């Protein structure tokens, strides 16, 4: 999966951000960033004991993942990694329709 995301990232000229496996996205409050280690995965709601933020567990996780990715992107891109190389290939274009990838993207101007 990660390998596929890596080369498709190059095709589309975007950036692949890989979070650390230990990133506590499910147990961290997306509002105040405090951890709630007693938060049970079986509970569909995430309730923060510090700020009272109450939201669906899934939404809290999505927001935490987004915030962690933004932090990682703004603080540093790991030097020498594949992701760094992807980030530096801004000028690369997706391959032409030769069967090895999707057709090049075209942008349609708004009316
Ligand atoms: Zn909180």
């Amino acid at each position: 999966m990660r390998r596929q995301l890596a080369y498709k990232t190059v095709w589309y000229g975007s950036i692949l951000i890989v979070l650390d496996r230990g990133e506590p996205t499910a147990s961290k409050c997306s509002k105040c960033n405090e951890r709630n280690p007693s938060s049970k995965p079986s509970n569909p709601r995430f309730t923060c004991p510090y700020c009272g933020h109450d939201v669906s567990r899934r939404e809290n996780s999505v927001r935490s993942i987004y915030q962690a990715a933004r932090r990682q992107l703004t603080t540093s891109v790991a030097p020498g990694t594949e992701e760094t190389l992807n980030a530096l290939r801004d000028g690369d274009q997706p391959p032409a329709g030769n069967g090895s990838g999707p057709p090049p993207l075209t942008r349609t101007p708004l009316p």
Side-chain angles (χ1 to χ4, degrees), residues 49-69:
Y50 300 97
C51 73
H53 187 53
D54 183 58
V55 66
S56 81
R57 171 172 297 283
R58 186 170 296 182
E59 182 178 337
N60 187 66
S61 293
V62 168
R63 289 181 186 271
S64 293
I65 290 168
Y66 177 75
Q67 291 166 357

PDB file of all heavy atoms in Angstrom, residues 49-69:
ATOM      1  N   PRO A  49     -11.220  14.555  28.765  1.00  0.00           N
ATOM      2  CA  PRO A  49     -11.393  14.883  30.184  1.00  0.00           C
ATOM      3  C   PRO A  49     -10.801  16.253  30.536  1.00  0.00           C
ATOM      4  O   PRO A  49     -11.059  16.774  31.621  1.00  0.00           O
ATOM      5  CB  PRO A  49     -10.636  13.764  30.904  1.00  0.00           C
ATOM      6  CG  PRO A  49      -9.620  13.301  29.930  1.00  0.00           C
ATOM      7  CD  PRO A  49     -10.214  13.522  28.561  1.00  0.00           C
ATOM      8  N   TYR A  50     -10.038  16.846  29.638  1.00  0.00           N
ATOM      9  CA  TYR A  50      -9.382  18.126  29.932  1.00  0.00           C
ATOM     10  C   TYR A  50     -10.207  19.319  29.468  1.00  0.00           C
ATOM     11  O   TYR A  50     -10.373  20.288  30.200  1.00  0.00           O
ATOM     12  CB  TYR A  50      -7.993  18.163  29.281  1.00  0.00           C
ATOM     13  CG  TYR A  50      -7.110  17.055  29.777  1.00  0.00           C
ATOM     14  CD1 TYR A  50      -6.968  15.882  29.048  1.00  0.00           C
ATOM     15  CD2 TYR A  50      -6.448  17.168  30.989  1.00  0.00           C
ATOM     16  CE1 TYR A  50      -6.178  14.849  29.520  1.00  0.00           C
ATOM     17  CE2 TYR A  50      -5.658  16.135  31.473  1.00  0.00           C
ATOM     18  CZ  TYR A  50      -5.531  14.979  30.720  1.00  0.00           C
ATOM     19  OH  TYR A  50      -4.760  13.961  31.196  1.00  0.00           O
ATOM     20  N   CYS A  51     -10.710  19.257  28.233  1.00  0.00           N
ATOM     21  CA  CYS A  51     -11.449  20.416  27.710  1.00  0.00           C
ATOM     22  C   CYS A  51     -12.927  20.111  27.471  1.00  0.00           C
ATOM     23  O   CYS A  51     -13.683  21.004  27.114  1.00  0.00           O
ATOM     24  CB  CYS A  51     -10.800  20.920  26.421  1.00  0.00           C
ATOM     25  SG  CYS A  51     -11.066  19.847  25.000  1.00  0.00           S
ATOM     26  N   GLY A  52     -13.318  18.843  27.638  1.00  0.00           N
ATOM     27  CA  GLY A  52     -14.718  18.493  27.481  1.00  0.00           C
ATOM     28  C   GLY A  52     -15.159  18.288  26.039  1.00  0.00           C
ATOM     29  O   GLY A  52     -16.335  18.053  25.771  1.00  0.00           O
ATOM     30  N   HIS A  53     -14.219  18.360  25.087  1.00  0.00           N
ATOM     31  CA  HIS A  53     -14.549  18.160  23.676  1.00  0.00           C
ATOM     32  C   HIS A  53     -15.185  16.785  23.509  1.00  0.00           C
ATOM     33  O   HIS A  53     -14.630  15.772  23.910  1.00  0.00           O
ATOM     34  CB  HIS A  53     -13.256  18.275  22.863  1.00  0.00           C
ATOM     35  CG  HIS A  53     -13.449  18.257  21.382  1.00  0.00           C
ATOM     36  ND1 HIS A  53     -14.313  19.088  20.721  1.00  0.00           N
ATOM     37  CD2 HIS A  53     -12.868  17.495  20.429  1.00  0.00           C
ATOM     38  CE1 HIS A  53     -14.260  18.851  19.431  1.00  0.00           C
ATOM     39  NE2 HIS A  53     -13.384  17.879  19.228  1.00  0.00           N
ATOM     40  N   ASP A  54     -16.372  16.766  22.928  1.00  0.00           N
ATOM     41  CA  ASP A  54     -17.097  15.515  22.735  1.00  0.00           C
ATOM     42  C   ASP A  54     -17.444  15.395  21.258  1.00  0.00           C
ATOM     43  O   ASP A  54     -18.166  16.228  20.709  1.00  0.00           O
ATOM     44  CB  ASP A  54     -18.375  15.506  23.585  1.00  0.00           C
ATOM     45  CG  ASP A  54     -19.112  14.197  23.471  1.00  0.00           C
ATOM     46  OD1 ASP A  54     -18.523  13.145  23.784  1.00  0.00           O
ATOM     47  OD2 ASP A  54     -20.294  14.230  23.046  1.00  0.00           O
ATOM     48  N   VAL A  55     -16.911  14.364  20.612  1.00  0.00           N
ATOM     49  CA  VAL A  55     -17.059  14.228  19.171  1.00  0.00           C
ATOM     50  C   VAL A  55     -17.002  12.734  18.837  1.00  0.00           C
ATOM     51  O   VAL A  55     -16.574  11.924  19.670  1.00  0.00           O
ATOM     52  CB  VAL A  55     -15.929  15.026  18.472  1.00  0.00           C
ATOM     53  CG1 VAL A  55     -14.566  14.426  18.762  1.00  0.00           C
ATOM     54  CG2 VAL A  55     -16.158  15.173  16.990  1.00  0.00           C
ATOM     55  N   SER A  56     -17.423  12.375  17.635  1.00  0.00           N
ATOM     56  CA  SER A  56     -17.320  10.964  17.258  1.00  0.00           C
ATOM     57  C   SER A  56     -15.840  10.572  17.217  1.00  0.00           C
ATOM     58  O   SER A  56     -14.978  11.383  16.882  1.00  0.00           O
ATOM     59  CB  SER A  56     -17.979  10.708  15.898  1.00  0.00           C
ATOM     60  OG  SER A  56     -17.121  11.071  14.844  1.00  0.00           O
ATOM     61  N   ARG A  57     -15.561   9.354  17.603  1.00  0.00           N
ATOM     62  CA  ARG A  57     -14.176   8.877  17.644  1.00  0.00           C
ATOM     63  C   ARG A  57     -13.512   8.997  16.273  1.00  0.00           C
ATOM     64  O   ARG A  57     -12.367   9.393  16.149  1.00  0.00           O
ATOM     65  CB  ARG A  57     -14.144   7.421  18.105  1.00  0.00           C
ATOM     66  CG  ARG A  57     -12.801   6.743  17.998  1.00  0.00           C
ATOM     67  CD  ARG A  57     -12.817   5.392  18.647  1.00  0.00           C
ATOM     68  NE  ARG A  57     -13.086   5.497  20.066  1.00  0.00           N
ATOM     69  CZ  ARG A  57     -12.180   5.870  20.964  1.00  0.00           C
ATOM     70  NH1 ARG A  57     -10.964   6.140  20.594  1.00  0.00           N
ATOM     71  NH2 ARG A  57     -12.490   5.958  22.229  1.00  0.00           N
ATOM     72  N   ARG A  58     -14.278   8.682  15.239  1.00  0.00           N
ATOM     73  CA  ARG A  58     -13.735   8.730  13.888  1.00  0.00           C
ATOM     74  C   ARG A  58     -13.348  10.169  13.501  1.00  0.00           C
ATOM     75  O   ARG A  58     -12.278  10.405  12.969  1.00  0.00           O
ATOM     76  CB  ARG A  58     -14.770   8.163  12.911  1.00  0.00           C
ATOM     77  CG  ARG A  58     -14.254   8.036  11.502  1.00  0.00           C
ATOM     78  CD  ARG A  58     -15.188   7.259  10.648  1.00  0.00           C
ATOM     79  NE  ARG A  58     -15.270   5.889  11.156  1.00  0.00           N
ATOM     80  CZ  ARG A  58     -15.981   4.938  10.616  1.00  0.00           C
ATOM     81  NH1 ARG A  58     -16.690   5.182   9.552  1.00  0.00           N
ATOM     82  NH2 ARG A  58     -16.008   3.735  11.119  1.00  0.00           N
ATOM     83  N   GLU A  59     -14.231  11.115  13.793  1.00  0.00           N
ATOM     84  CA  GLU A  59     -13.939  12.505  13.447  1.00  0.00           C
ATOM     85  C   GLU A  59     -12.729  13.006  14.223  1.00  0.00           C
ATOM     86  O   GLU A  59     -11.874  13.711  13.683  1.00  0.00           O
ATOM     87  CB  GLU A  59     -15.143  13.391  13.728  1.00  0.00           C
ATOM     88  CG  GLU A  59     -14.909  14.841  13.340  1.00  0.00           C
ATOM     89  CD  GLU A  59     -16.117  15.722  13.580  1.00  0.00           C
ATOM     90  OE1 GLU A  59     -17.249  15.200  13.625  1.00  0.00           O
ATOM     91  OE2 GLU A  59     -15.918  16.935  13.733  1.00  0.00           O
ATOM     92  N   ASN A  60     -12.650  12.638  15.497  1.00  0.00           N
ATOM     93  CA  ASN A  60     -11.502  13.065  16.299  1.00  0.00           C
ATOM     94  C   ASN A  60     -10.208  12.501  15.718  1.00  0.00           C
ATOM     95  O   ASN A  60      -9.197  13.204  15.625  1.00  0.00           O
ATOM     96  CB  ASN A  60     -11.667  12.613  17.753  1.00  0.00           C
ATOM     97  CG  ASN A  60     -10.585  13.182  18.626  1.00  0.00           C
ATOM     98  OD1 ASN A  60     -10.504  14.386  18.835  1.00  0.00           O
ATOM     99  ND2 ASN A  60      -9.710  12.306  19.110  1.00  0.00           N
ATOM    100  N   SER A  61     -10.235  11.239  15.306  1.00  0.00           N
ATOM    101  CA  SER A  61      -9.042  10.617  14.734  1.00  0.00           C
ATOM    102  C   SER A  61      -8.642  11.294  13.426  1.00  0.00           C
ATOM    103  O   SER A  61      -7.464  11.569  13.196  1.00  0.00           O
ATOM    104  CB  SER A  61      -9.278   9.125  14.485  1.00  0.00           C
ATOM    105  OG  SER A  61      -9.435   8.450  15.702  1.00  0.00           O
ATOM    106  N   VAL A  62      -9.620  11.573  12.580  1.00  0.00           N
ATOM    107  CA  VAL A  62      -9.325  12.228  11.302  1.00  0.00           C
ATOM    108  C   VAL A  62      -8.683  13.590  11.540  1.00  0.00           C
ATOM    109  O   VAL A  62      -7.675  13.945  10.919  1.00  0.00           O
ATOM    110  CB  VAL A  62     -10.616  12.368  10.447  1.00  0.00           C
ATOM    111  CG1 VAL A  62     -10.396  13.297   9.273  1.00  0.00           C
ATOM    112  CG2 VAL A  62     -11.079  11.011   9.978  1.00  0.00           C
ATOM    113  N   ARG A  63      -9.248  14.347  12.470  1.00  0.00           N
ATOM    114  CA  ARG A  63      -8.676  15.673  12.763  1.00  0.00           C
ATOM    115  C   ARG A  63      -7.278  15.547  13.354  1.00  0.00           C
ATOM    116  O   ARG A  63      -6.387  16.341  13.037  1.00  0.00           O
ATOM    117  CB  ARG A  63      -9.588  16.444  13.721  1.00  0.00           C
ATOM    118  CG  ARG A  63     -10.871  16.893  13.067  1.00  0.00           C
ATOM    119  CD  ARG A  63     -11.748  17.674  14.046  1.00  0.00           C
ATOM    120  NE  ARG A  63     -13.019  17.978  13.475  1.00  0.00           N
ATOM    121  CZ  ARG A  63     -13.266  19.085  12.757  1.00  0.00           C
ATOM    122  NH1 ARG A  63     -12.316  19.949  12.566  1.00  0.00           N
ATOM    123  NH2 ARG A  63     -14.449  19.289  12.250  1.00  0.00           N
ATOM    124  N   SER A  64      -7.070  14.574  14.218  1.00  0.00           N
ATOM    125  CA  SER A  64      -5.745  14.377  14.815  1.00  0.00           C
ATOM    126  C   SER A  64      -4.720  13.978  13.758  1.00  0.00           C
ATOM    127  O   SER A  64      -3.571  14.436  13.789  1.00  0.00           O
ATOM    128  CB  SER A  64      -5.805  13.302  15.913  1.00  0.00           C
ATOM    129  OG  SER A  64      -6.562  13.764  16.999  1.00  0.00           O
ATOM    130  N   ILE A  65      -5.121  13.125  12.835  1.00  0.00           N
ATOM    131  CA  ILE A  65      -4.218  12.713  11.754  1.00  0.00           C
ATOM    132  C   ILE A  65      -3.874  13.918  10.887  1.00  0.00           C
ATOM    133  O   ILE A  65      -2.708  14.142  10.535  1.00  0.00           O
ATOM    134  CB  ILE A  65      -4.864  11.589  10.913  1.00  0.00           C
ATOM    135  CG1 ILE A  65      -4.923  10.303  11.738  1.00  0.00           C
ATOM    136  CG2 ILE A  65      -4.100  11.370   9.612  1.00  0.00           C
ATOM    137  CD1 ILE A  65      -5.797   9.217  11.121  1.00  0.00           C
ATOM    138  N   TYR A  66      -4.866  14.713  10.561  1.00  0.00           N
ATOM    139  CA  TYR A  66      -4.644  15.903   9.746  1.00  0.00           C
ATOM    140  C   TYR A  66      -3.682  16.863  10.450  1.00  0.00           C
ATOM    141  O   TYR A  66      -2.742  17.376   9.837  1.00  0.00           O
ATOM    142  CB  TYR A  66      -5.987  16.584   9.471  1.00  0.00           C
ATOM    143  CG  TYR A  66      -5.881  17.859   8.691  1.00  0.00           C
ATOM    144  CD1 TYR A  66      -5.620  17.848   7.332  1.00  0.00           C
ATOM    145  CD2 TYR A  66      -6.042  19.092   9.324  1.00  0.00           C
ATOM    146  CE1 TYR A  66      -5.517  19.022   6.612  1.00  0.00           C
ATOM    147  CE2 TYR A  66      -5.948  20.270   8.620  1.00  0.00           C
ATOM    148  CZ  TYR A  66      -5.679  20.234   7.262  1.00  0.00           C
ATOM    149  OH  TYR A  66      -5.574  21.393   6.559  1.00  0.00           O
ATOM    150  N   GLN A  67      -3.907  17.083  11.733  1.00  0.00           N
ATOM    151  CA  GLN A  67      -3.039  18.000  12.480  1.00  0.00           C
ATOM    152  C   GLN A  67      -1.613  17.450  12.570  1.00  0.00           C
ATOM    153  O   GLN A  67      -0.643  18.204  12.443  1.00  0.00           O
ATOM    154  CB  GLN A  67      -3.608  18.232  13.885  1.00  0.00           C
ATOM    155  CG  GLN A  67      -4.893  19.038  13.858  1.00  0.00           C
ATOM    156  CD  GLN A  67      -5.652  18.988  15.174  1.00  0.00           C
ATOM    157  OE1 GLN A  67      -5.244  18.297  16.104  1.00  0.00           O
ATOM    158  NE2 GLN A  67      -6.754  19.713  15.246  1.00  0.00           N
ATOM    159  N   ALA A  68      -1.481  16.142  12.820  1.00  0.00           N
ATOM    160  CA  ALA A  68      -0.145  15.539  12.903  1.00  0.00           C
ATOM    161  C   ALA A  68       0.577  15.659  11.564  1.00  0.00           C
ATOM    162  O   ALA A  68       1.774  15.935  11.507  1.00  0.00           O
ATOM    163  CB  ALA A  68      -0.262  14.076  13.327  1.00  0.00           C
ATOM    164  N   ALA A  69      -0.150  15.469  10.471  1.00  0.00           N
ATOM    165  CA  ALA A  69       0.457  15.584   9.144  1.00  0.00           C
ATOM    166  C   ALA A  69       0.909  17.017   8.884  1.00  0.00           C
ATOM    167  O   ALA A  69       1.995  17.250   8.354  1.00  0.00           O
ATOM    168  CB  ALA A  69      -0.544  15.131   8.074  1.00  0.00           C
TER     169      ALA A  69
END
